[in-house]
Structures are given as C-alpha cells and as structure tokens.
C-alpha cells in the first residue's frame, strides 16, 4: 500500500496504489463516459438533475386506476391494453398499469430464517 | 499478513454465520440493517420482510475459556408490514431501513426501527416468572364460579422458562412525505431525529402525535430540485448538533441552538473537485450513502461510491483522510451505471476506539482500514471460510494484466454479492457483516 507524503498540508490517501497523474485517473472514467454516451445518445448531460431525483423520490408509486383501466378496456375492445414500460412505476402517456404489472401479493408473514 | 485493529499479531477469524444456504434467496430474507447495542451484548438485524431478529451474546463459560461468547437468537418479531396508501396510490415497503438502540435504562431493552414511512419504538423484555394460584381463575385461565370460592388464595410467583417479549410501545407515523433514510437517537436520550429525502424531523420519544421539522430542503418549485438528503446523524455528545449528507457529496452540520429551523447550516463540508476529472458519473459517485460520527465526537466519516473519508469537524474544506475502497471500479462505471450498482448505498462504521474503520464492497468482500498503521485489508464473507475459528485470509483484486494465484480479477467479481451493512462491537474486536441473506460474525483471534 503506498501513501504519498506531500510537503503541503494535503490529506493522505491510503488503500489502492494511486495513479501516476490525474490524467491517468480521469481516463478510465472518460472512456466509461464515452461508452455510455455511445449506448445511450439521448442521455442528458446532468445526471443529477431534477428528473433523476424526482424518479428517486417517487419510488414505490403505482398509478393503477380501475376507472382508467376499465375505460381503456372498453375503448380497446379486442385489442391488447398497452402495457406499462420496462420502468416499473414510471408510467407516462397512454400507458396505464394493468393488474398484470402490479406486483404479486406478497407471501404471508413467516419467521425470519436468521432465527431458525 | 497482519490484520487491522491493533498489534502485529492481529488476525480475524470466522465465528458464526446465520441464515439459510439457499441458492434462491427470497427478497424478504435480504438483511437491510445490522446494529449492536451500546454494550455489544445484543445484535439486531432487520430485513426486507419487515422482520427484526435480535441475537444475544452468551456469557463466556468457564468450561471453554478460549471461546468468546457466541451470539444466539434472543428475540424475533415482525416490526413492519406492507401497507398501501390508497390516497397517493403508493405502496409502502415493509423493509426495515434502520434500527437504532436506545441506551439501556432498566431491565428492558428498547430500539427504534423504521421503514420508509413509520418509526416504531419496541420494548424487548424478559419474563422468567409467572403467577400461579389465582383466586378467581383456574390454572388454564377459565374463570372460577364465584359462588364456589370459599377461601382466599394469594398467587405466588413461580419460575418459568425464559420468555422474551417484544411489544411496540410507540408508533411515530405520518410525519414523512418522502422515504425515511435515517434515524438517530440524541445524546439527551429524550429525542431522536428522522430524515427523509427532503426533510428532517425531531421527535420526543414520549410523543407520537407531533414532531418538529428542523430541516426542509424542498424547493418551492420541484423543477429546481438539485440534491436530496441521504443520511443524518446526531452528534454523540452534543445534543444540539447533528449532520446530514447529500447526494452531491456535501455534509452540513447544524446547531439547533442557532435557530429553530436549521435550513442554514453552521458548517458546510465539501471537498473541492478537480474540474478536469469531472464526468457524467462525478455527481453520482460523490453521493454520500452514509455518515457516522466517531465515538469521540471529534471526527465524522462519510462513504461515497468509491471511497471512505474521515473529516475533522474543525476543518470544512477537505477530509483529513481518504481511503479507496475499490478504486478498480472506476474503469467499470459504465456497466455499473447500466446495472444500477452505481446507486448501491454502502454503509461504514468505526471500531470502538476510532482507530479503525470498516465498509463493504462487492463479491462479499469487506474492507478495513487502520488509521494508525495506515494498513488496510480486504476480507471475504463466505461459507468456504466457515470453520470455527478459521483465520480469514486477505483477499486481493487484480487490476492489471497478470493475475497472481489467489487473486481475483475485476471482471470475475460478483456484483450481486454486495456487503452494504456492517457493524463493529462497541468495545471489542467482534464484527457483524450482512451478506445478502446471511449474517456473518467474525472475531479477533485469541492467542
């Protein structure tokens, strides 16, 4: 384990071997960033933006509305109901959660296996 | 290689493992919090199924002087149950986010447990006596016919098998719009704080129908939201001081004597960022997942995605120590973002004397850093090393090309085996490590 002794009052870093220079440090991250941008070109610049945080705050929300559901069913008639997208819980536009999308009833309460 | 925690001969050994060896782990069995009480005699775990299991340390017996007390099940109960908020169409998970013990004041033990919305105060008490010979009741509890009772019989207390009962004494509900991430008992032993993504409330342990809001960072316009609260803790000695960390990697220290609403901090801790290293991932990996004061109250420790930092409360502009937990993950950030692992919230903890710190990583690895000797070690919680008193071998992750024997390459790490929760006994070198659905207990080797 290497540690750097600097003349200034800078704090010491411990643990893994520190890279030679800041540039080397930033490179793996920059190439990772490039990889991500290549995969998802529509990704916004600021991951910490309000959309991202709002999603975090909304964890657990299910918007199933039986009224909407039955109306949509009546409208669609024989067609398939639009199924909520991959992102569970985040429902936009015409997509409405259907009973199939909601999580299954949780199993009855049993004692923890740690206590077994 | 010498371990961490004191002395050159120091080594960690396996002591116990709790939980099933299932291949398919049920979500409810995933341990979500681990906490020793103030004496270290009790160890509590909470899981995603809303259950709490408390282990008690056996008294060291004279017959086996070389074996330290083992932890055995003391009590288990269902703390929280799944709920559905019909008004907001919101499912409330029963997962226990945090458990915090109260200092012991009498024979009973008290702890606070919380899920996303509700905090409960539980009393755990022992019953080892039972009254027998009631005047008006039969032994099986049926009421005796009063007209048949001709003499007075005074009940006597008879010993019985120990029964440990857990009962909810207080339920602190309806005070959080967002998800509770932290609870912390104040040093005054009367109040505690609870923090969600945007607000922090101060409660009195006796009063459940109201709480005092002390921090509110919700913007008037939610579009302007830039950061959330990720963790909060009361100072261990100064009951007017607490800290809270943010998703932007900053920590604010607040003094409740300064004003009733602590929106304005007394101290603001932030390490300046090198602008050249800024990337898409910068803010995400700087998000602090845990903040813990040292026992001394002089320092605090923060955990972000790749490192643990120790801060001196007297110096706000940078940490005094930085420890790299798994720097090799820097070259994997893209895939870690895609599989959501980059959002994993690791906790960290101090040992009793504040000389060492511990935190978890992936592949069931956990890391310890000795602040005095500057040594660090990587250990693994695995059933392969689970012979009683087996010494844990240090593990090493290979980053470069040539992989040495016994090393593991970064690409072989199992990112589903994460150690998010660890706890260190307040006085001894005994640690509890939660590996998904198993709880490992390790101790120092007795020479």
């Amino acid at each position: 384990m290497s540690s750097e002794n600097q003349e200034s009052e800078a704090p010491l870093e411990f643990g893994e071997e520190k890279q030679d220079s800041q540039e080397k440090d930033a490179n793996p991250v920059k190439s990772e960033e490039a990889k991500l941008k290549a995969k998802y070109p529509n990704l916004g610049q600021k991951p910490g933006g309000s959309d991202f945080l709002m999603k975090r705050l909304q964890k657990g929300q299910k918007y199933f509305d039986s009224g909407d559901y039955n109306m949509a069913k009546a409208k669609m008639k024989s067609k398939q109901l639009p199924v909520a997208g991959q992102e569970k819980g985040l429902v936009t536009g015409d997509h409405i959660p259907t009973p199939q999308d909601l999580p299954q009833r949780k199993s009855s309460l049993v004692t923890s296996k740690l206590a077994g | 290689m010498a371990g961490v925690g004191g002395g050159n001969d120091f080594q960690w050994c396996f002591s116990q493992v709790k939980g099933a060896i299932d291949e398919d782990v049920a979500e409810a069995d995933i341990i979500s919090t681990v906490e020793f009480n103030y004496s270290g005699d009790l160890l509590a775990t909470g899981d995603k199924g809303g259950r709490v299991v408390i282990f008690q340390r056996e008294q060291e017996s004279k017959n086996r002087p070389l074996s330290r007390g083992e932890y055995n099940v003391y009590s288990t109960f269902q703390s929280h149950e799944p709920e559905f908020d019909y008004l907001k169409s919101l499912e409330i998970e029963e997962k226990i986010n945090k458990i915090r013990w109260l200092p012991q004041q009498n024979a009973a033990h008290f702890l606070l447990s919380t899920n996303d919305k509700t905090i409960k105060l539980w009393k755990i008490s022992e019953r080892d006596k039972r009254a027998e010979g009631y005047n008006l009741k039969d032994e099986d509890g049926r009421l005796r016919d009063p007209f048949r009772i001709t003499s007075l019989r005074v009940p006597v207390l008879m010993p019985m098998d120990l029964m440990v009962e857990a009962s909810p004494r207080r339920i602190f509900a309806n005070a959080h719009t967002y998800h509770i991430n932290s609870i912390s008992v104040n040093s005054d032993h009367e109040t505690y704080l609870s923090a969600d993504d945007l607000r922090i409330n101060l409660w009195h342990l006796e009063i459940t129908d109201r709480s005092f809001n002390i921090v509110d960072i919700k913007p008037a316009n939610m579009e302007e939201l830039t950061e959330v609260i990720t963790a909060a803790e009361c100072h261990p000695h100064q009951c007017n001081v607490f800290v809270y960390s943010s998703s932007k990697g900053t920590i604010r220290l607040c003094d409740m004597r300064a004003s009733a609403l602590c929106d304005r901090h007394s101290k603001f801790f932030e390490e300046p960022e090198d602008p050249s290293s800024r990337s898409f991932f910068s803010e995400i990996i700087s998000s602090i997942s845990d903040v813990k004061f040292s026992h001394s109250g002089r320092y605090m420790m923060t955990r972000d995605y790749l490192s643990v930092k120790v801060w001196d409360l007297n110096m706000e502009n940078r940490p005094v120590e930085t420890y790299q937990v798994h720097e090799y993950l820097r070259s994997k950030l893209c895939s870690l973002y895609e599989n959501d692992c980059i959002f994993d919230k690791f906790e960290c903890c101090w040992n009793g004397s504040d000389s060492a710190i511990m935190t978890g990583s992936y592949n069931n690895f956990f890391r310890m850093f000795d602040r005095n000797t500057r040594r660090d070690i990587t250990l693994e919680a695995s059933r392969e090393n689970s012979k009683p008193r087996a010494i844990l071998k240090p593990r090493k992750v290979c980053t470069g090309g040539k992989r040495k024997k016994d090393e593991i390459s970064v690409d072989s790490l199992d990112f589903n085996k994460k150690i998010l929760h660890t706890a260190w006994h307040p006085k001894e070198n005994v640690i509890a490590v939660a590996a998904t659905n198993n709880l490992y207990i390790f101790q120092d080797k007795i020479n």
Side-chain angles (χ1 to χ4, degrees):
Chain A
M1 296 357 107
S2 71
S3 65
E4 291 198 4
N5 285 323
Q6 297 169 9
E7 275 161 21
S8 60
E9 293 288 311
L12 303 171
E13 287 220 17
F14 310 102
E16 318 291 327
E17 288 247 337
K18 198 159 194 277
Q19 301 285 0
D20 289 349
S21 63
Q22 278 289 21
E23 226 186 78
K24 248 191 185 172
D25 223 26
N27 267 350
V29 184
K30 288 289 184 201
S31 62
E32 287 297 298
E33 188 176 14
K35 242 192 267 181
L36 193 69
K37 293 238 162 97
K39 274 195 186 179
Y40 308 102
N42 296 326
L43 208 53
Q45 255 306 320
K46 279 189 71 180
S50 71
D51 286 342
F52 176 75
L53 291 173
M54 290 282 274
K55 198 165 134 181
R56 180 184 168 143
L57 296 179
Q58 276 172 20
K59 174 193 43 140
Q61 214 149 9
K62 309 257 183 285
Y63 293 95
F64 177 72
D65 185 309
S66 61
D68 280 349
Y69 176 68
N70 286 309
M71 293 268 290
K73 224 159 85 164
K75 238 196 274 180
M76 290 294 172
K77 291 185 191 175
S78 53
K79 283 192 218 158
Q80 281 284 326
L81 271 172
V83 175
Q86 283 297 337
E87 302 175 56
K88 309 162 237 185
L90 194 64
V91 166
T92 54
D94 285 334
H95 288 182
I96 52 166
T98 57
Q100 300 89 280
D101 301 324
L102 298 176
Q104 293 299 310
R105 181 188 166 274
K106 290 188 175 164
S107 59
S108 302
L109 307 172
V110 288
T111 316
S112 165
K113 287 181 188 165
L114 286 184
Chain B
M1 178 182 157
V4 169
N8 282 333
D9 295 329
F10 190 85
Q11 287 178 307
W12 287 98
C13 309
F14 172 85
S15 174
Q16 296 169 274
V17 61
K18 308 277 185 194
I21 319 180
D22 294 359
E23 274 300 315
D24 263 328
V25 179
E27 182 143 342
D29 291 328
I30 297 173
I31 300 169
S32 49
T33 185
V34 186
E35 188 83 355
F36 281 100
N37 74 338
Y38 285 78
S39 65
D41 280 342
L42 296 178
L43 175 62
T45 60
D47 64 23
K48 277 195 166 184
R51 301 162 300 192
V52 171
V53 182
I54 302 175
F55 301 92
Q56 184 188 46
R57 198 175 202 188
E58 296 267 310
Q59 294 298 320
E60 287 173 34
S61 78
K62 292 187 187 132
N63 299 335
R64 297 166 62 201
L66 287 179
S67 96
R68 290 280 189 77
E70 278 196 342
Y71 285 85
N72 297 318
V73 180
Y74 179 64
S75 171
T76 178
F77 54 93
Q78 186 77 36
S79 171
H80 288 72
E81 290 179 13
E83 289 174 62
F84 194 84
D85 181 336
Y86 299 100
L87 197 63
K88 297 183 193 160
S89 208
L90 191 82
E91 185 184 29
I92 303 167
E93 274 190 310
E94 68 276 32
K95 166 172 157 270
I96 308 292
N97 292 335
K98 286 283 175 345
I99 288 174
R100 289 287 182 264
W101 291 94
L102 265 59
Q104 193 174 10
Q105 288 173 328
N106 52 38
H109 297 278
F110 288 86
L111 59 78
L112 287 170
S113 70
T114 187
N115 69 349
D116 282 339
K117 296 287 181 181
T118 305
I119 306 136
K120 296 187 183 180
L121 176 70
W122 287 89
K123 176 182 180 182
I124 298 109
S125 47
E126 292 184 5
R127 190 195 287 263
D128 61 358
K129 289 184 263 296
R130 159 181 69 218
E132 280 176 24
Y134 282 96
N135 201 41
L136 298 174
K137 279 195 285 190
D138 274 341
E139 285 317 313
D140 53 11
R142 277 183 305 184
L143 289 174
R144 293 166 75 194
D145 180 355
F147 293 103
R148 296 258 171 85
I149 298 171
T150 52
S151 62
L152 185 67
R153 188 167 73 166
V154 178
V156 281
L157 290 176
M158 300 296 287
M160 62 179 253
D161 287 340
L162 179 68
M163 205 164 75
V164 182
E165 301 171 318
S167 58
R169 305 303 285 178
R170 304 269 187 278
I171 302 198
F172 304 91
N174 302 320
H176 285 279
T177 308
Y178 303 99
H179 299 108
I180 298 173
N181 52 54
S182 313
I183 47 173
S184 179
V185 182
N186 208 346
S187 55
D188 62 11
H189 302 168
E190 281 187 353
T191 59
Y192 74 95
L193 64 72
S194 60
D196 67 30
D197 292 310
L198 297 178
R199 299 191 177 100
I200 302 180
N201 294 329
L202 185 72
W203 300 84
H204 191 285
L205 285 164
E206 299 287 330
I207 299 167
T208 58
D209 64 353
R210 77 197 85 157
S211 73
F212 198 59
N213 177 246
I214 50 177
V215 172
D216 187 340
I217 65 167
K218 185 178 178 195
N221 180 3
M222 281 300 262
E223 301 285 309
E224 291 162 23
L225 184 66
T226 54
E227 65 184 328
V228 293
I229 297 168
T230 52
E233 197 178 48
C234 291
H235 191 276
H237 311 306
Q238 295 168 36
C239 59
N240 53 297
V241 172
F242 65 94
V243 291
Y244 67 94
S245 58
S246 86
S247 52
K248 278 180 138 177
T250 64
I251 309 102
R252 288 170 177 81
L253 183 142
C254 301
D255 185 337
M256 291 188 272
R257 294 172 306 185
S259 73
L261 192 57
C262 297
D263 280 358
R264 246 181 307 175
H265 52 263
S266 298
K267 292 197 183 191
F268 182 73
F269 297 83
E270 184 177 35
E271 182 166 28
E273 190 197 10
D274 177 3
S276 69
S277 69
R278 177 134 195 103
S279 73
F280 175 84
F281 305 109
S282 299
E283 194 171 306
I284 302 174
I285 62 173
S286 73
S287 176
I288 292 171
S289 49
D290 195 15
V291 64
K292 292 264 170 53
F293 279 105
S294 64
H295 293 91
S296 65
R298 163 95 192 261
Y299 299 96
M300 68 177 174
M301 164 167 58
T302 57
R303 175 69 156 97
D304 51 72
Y305 190 61
L306 298 177
S307 68
V308 181
K309 296 178 179 169
V310 175
W311 303 76
D312 183 327
L313 294 187
N314 299 319
M315 188 161 79
E316 298 166 59
N317 61 351
R318 53 166 204 268
V320 288
E321 295 155 33
T322 300
Y323 301 92
Q324 302 301 334
V325 181
H326 36 218
E327 183 71 1
Y328 46 79
L329 294 184
R330 221 175 260 276
S331 57
K332 298 282 166 205
L333 292 177
C334 179
S335 40
L336 292 169
Y337 178 85
E338 289 181 289
N339 62 20
D340 274 354
C341 281
I342 205 173
F343 302 107
D344 284 337
K345 297 183 175 61
F346 292 94
E347 291 172 8
C348 52
C349 61
W350 300 84
N351 71 344
S353 60
D354 297 336
S355 64
I357 59 185
M358 168 168 63
T359 190
S361 179
Y362 294 105
N363 209 69
N364 278 354
F365 287 173
F366 57 100
R367 304 264 285 138
M368 286 185 190
F369 304 93
D370 187 316
R371 298 175 65 213
N372 299 325
T373 65
R374 310 301 187 196
R375 276 207 270 246
D376 66 276
I377 192 168
T378 304
L379 297 172
E380 183 180 0
S382 149
R383 291 214 177 233
E384 284 169 17
N385 304 332
S386 53
K387 265 188 272 197
R389 291 185 293 283
I391 294 174
L392 296 185
K393 209 175 56 168
R395 308 289 280 136
K396 192 146 167 65
V397 177
C398 150
T399 52
K402 266 197 165 171
R403 188 179 74 90
K404 293 194 197 125
K405 179 185 160 220
D406 285 351
E407 283 186 0
I408 181 166
S409 84
V410 185
D411 297 309
S412 310
L413 294 175
D414 187 342
F415 290 97
N416 291 318
K417 291 192 181 162
K418 23 193 134 192
I419 291 183
L420 304 172
H421 313 286
T422 60
W424 206 312
H425 190 289
K427 300 182 179 96
E428 296 178 29
N429 283 320
V430 176
I431 54 176
V433 173
T436 316
N437 63 327
N438 287 165
L439 181 73
Y440 287 82
I441 298 171
F442 302 108
Q443 296 177 348
D444 59 349
K445 180 175 175 217
I446 304 147
N447 290 311

